């Protein structure tokens, strides 16, 4: 594995329906509403087909588990296509338009696609290559509804976006600041490019520790405090959407998925924040977060009838954790006796 960290359920294929079931149920029990996968479009260049296959599997799974879905499009995919002579420069606008038309037909109109400010949400991790807003405008004009379009916090105006989203920032922890100063700096990061709540999507993150040949500075996880601080400042503010960075980017070490190194620390922090926000309506516990991985382990044993495990999955999806736990206990006892 190309990572400093290791998933608690073991290495996996992101198209595996058992993995998607486990991940989405873990998210749901933590209080997460949906996912925003990094997507490179519909081209057959490089590994983009494999990424598209995994993204499509995730999209379909979101529909089954009642989770929302939105795309973060990588416009650097077009740069690679141009560099590899797969696309001529005078074809770029048409290719982007075709990509938007595909999104409109296949995803934007589906129930699980996230509608934000009454339009489908589309993020751009850039613009890195397509910095001419006229290209984006031309592509959006080919579909019935212009998406709610958000790009990186310092680049969104280049693409004519509706706003920007923050990513990993080291500034709040520079030096030896007090906790109050850290939170003040996080708010500054969230507002420096716009004080209009509708133009900002804030991001909470656990830390950073990459495996790149040219390393960026690490950001200490501080036992979960980095995630706790960014998430709490985000939830205390006026911003209607908070992005968790990230579920499983192991290459950059930003994963909040349970790992051998951090256990369930990050998901528990998210769950605690949700419980604080929603009060008694939110009943899920830290122990409930362990149930999807137990279900996943039983599926991979290949002994328990699928119908029994499907029943447990349905109970978890409905939030009936006590009943699901009892059935898991029974199946695990049976397996041990076997």
């Amino acid at each position: 594995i190309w990572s400093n960290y290791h998933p608690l359920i073991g290495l996996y294929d992101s198209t595996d329906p058992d993995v998607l079931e486990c991940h989405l149920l873990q998210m749901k029990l933590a209080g997460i509403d949906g996912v925003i996968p990094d997507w490179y479009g519909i081209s057959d260049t490089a590994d983009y087909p494999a990424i598209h296959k995994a993204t499509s599997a995730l999209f379909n799974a979101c529909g089954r588990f009642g989770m929302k879905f939105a795309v973060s499009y990588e416009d650097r995919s077009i740069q690679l296509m141009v560099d590899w002579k797969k696309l001529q420069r005078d074809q770029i606008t048409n290719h982007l338009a075709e990509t938007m038309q595909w999104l409109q037909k296949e995803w934007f109109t589906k129930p699980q696609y996230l509608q934000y400010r009454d339009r489908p949400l589309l993020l751009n991790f850039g613009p890195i290559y397509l910095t001419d807003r006229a290209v984006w405008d031309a592509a959006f004009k080919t579909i019935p509804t212009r998406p709610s379009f958000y790009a990186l916090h310092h680049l969104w105006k280049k693409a004519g976006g509706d706003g920007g989203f923050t990513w990993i920032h080291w500034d709040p922890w520079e030096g030896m600041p007090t906790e109050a100063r850290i939170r003040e700096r996080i708010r500054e990061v969230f507002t420096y490019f716009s004080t209009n709540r509708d133009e900002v999507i804030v991001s909470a993150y656990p830390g950073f520790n990459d495996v790149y040949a040219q390393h960026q500075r690490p950001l200490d996880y501080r036992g979960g405090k980095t995630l706790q601080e960014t998430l709490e400042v985000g939830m205390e503010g006026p911003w209607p959407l908070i992005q968790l960075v990230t579920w499983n980017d192991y290459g950059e070490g930003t994963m909040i998925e349970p790992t051998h190194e951090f256990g369930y620390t990050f998901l528990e922090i998210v769950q605690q924040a949700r419980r604080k926000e929603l009060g008694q309506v939110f009943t899920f516990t830290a122990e409930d977060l362990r149930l999807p991985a137990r279900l996943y382990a039983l599926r991979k044993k290949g002994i328990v009838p699928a119908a029994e495990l499907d029943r447990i999955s349905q109970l978890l999806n409905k939030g009936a954790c006590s009943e699901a736990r009892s059935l898991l206990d029974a199946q695990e006892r049976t397996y041990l006796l076997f």
Side-chain angles (χ1 to χ4, degrees), residues 93 96 132-142 146 149 159-161:
T93 301
L96 185 63
D132 182 354
R133 67 175 295 169
V135 176
W136 295 97
D137 289 340
F140 292 147
K141 285 177 181 177
T142 67
R146 180 187 173 94
F149 183 45

Side-chain angles (χ1 to χ4, degrees), residues 131-250:
T131 56
D132 182 354
R133 67 175 295 169
V135 176
W136 295 97
D137 289 340
F140 292 147
K141 285 177 181 177
T142 67
I143 57 178
T145 303
R146 180 187 173 94
S148 289
F149 183 45
Y150 287 72
L152 280 171
H153 54 95
H154 59 302
L155 300 173
W156 63 279
K157 291 182 180 179
K158 290 184 178 181
D162 296 294
F165 60 90
T166 61
W167 202 244
I168 308 297
H169 294 263
W170 286 259
D171 311 29
W173 298 274
E174 294 281 7
M176 299 181 65
T178 63
E179 186 166 334
R181 181 59 181 142
I182 289 171
R183 292 171 185 268
E184 182 181 348
R185 287 177 174 178
I186 293 170
R187 282 188 289 272
E188 290 170 357
V189 166
F190 289 170
T191 57
Y192 87 93
F193 63 95
S194 177
T195 56
N196 180 345
R197 66 191 289 274
D198 292 328
E199 291 182 342
V200 179
I201 296 174
V202 299
S203 298
Y205 39 89
F208 189 95
N209 184 21
D210 69 40
V211 290
Y212 298 146
Q214 295 181 339
H215 291 290
Q216 296 192 52
R217 287 182 300 159
L219 177 60
D220 194 348
Y221 303 90
R222 299 164 58 243
K225 287 195 69 176
T226 302
L227 175 61
Q228 185 177 26
E229 289 161 351
T230 51
L231 183 56
E232 287 181 353
V233 172
M235 294 188 75
E236 289 166 0
W239 308 286
L241 191 64
I242 298 176
Q243 185 174 201
L244 297 171
V245 177
T246 64
W247 176 255
N248 60 353
D249 189 340
Y250 281 87

Side-chain angles (χ1 to χ4, degrees), residues 239-304:
W239 308 286
L241 191 64
I242 298 176
Q243 185 174 201
L244 297 171
V245 177
T246 64
W247 176 255
N248 60 353
D249 189 340
Y250 281 87
E252 295 190 348
T254 56
M255 62 286 127
I256 64 169
E257 174 189 5
T259 60
H260 284 286
E261 291 77 14
F262 298 109
Y264 284 81
T265 297
F266 303 140
L267 279 189
E268 288 176 4
I269 288 169
V270 175
Q271 191 185 66
Q272 290 161 9
R274 268 305 212 189
R275 188 179 299 112
K276 180 180 179 181
E277 177 194 27
L278 299 175
Q280 295 182 349
V281 176
F282 189 83
T283 60
F284 301 131
T285 67
E287 284 305 309
D288 294 336
L289 291 173
R290 276 76 176 163
L291 300 178
R294 290 172 61 187
L295 172 62
Y296 176 78
L298 285 176
R299 286 207 186 273
K300 292 310 179 189
K301 295 294 183 185
I303 296 174
V304 181

Side-chain angles (χ1 to χ4, degrees), residues 35-43 47-59 69-78 95-108 113 121-126 136:
V35 296
I36 307 176
D38 204 33
W39 184 67
Y40 288 74
I42 53 178
S43 165
D47 61 350
Y48 301 162
I51 295 172
H52 179 64
K53 180 182 178 181
T55 308
S56 297
L58 178 58
F59 177 85
F69 174 101
V71 163
S72 179
Y73 178 60
E74 288 273 3
D75 69 280
R76 72 187 77 196
S77 62
I78 293 180
H95 175 78
L96 185 63
E98 289 171 3
T99 302
M100 294 303 122
Q101 290 161 22
W102 189 95
L103 284 169
Q104 171 67 28
K105 178 183 176 183
E106 302 296 335
W107 287 346
F108 280 172
Y113 202 93
L121 177 66
L122 175 66
L123 271 57
N124 168 229
F125 202 84
W136 295 97

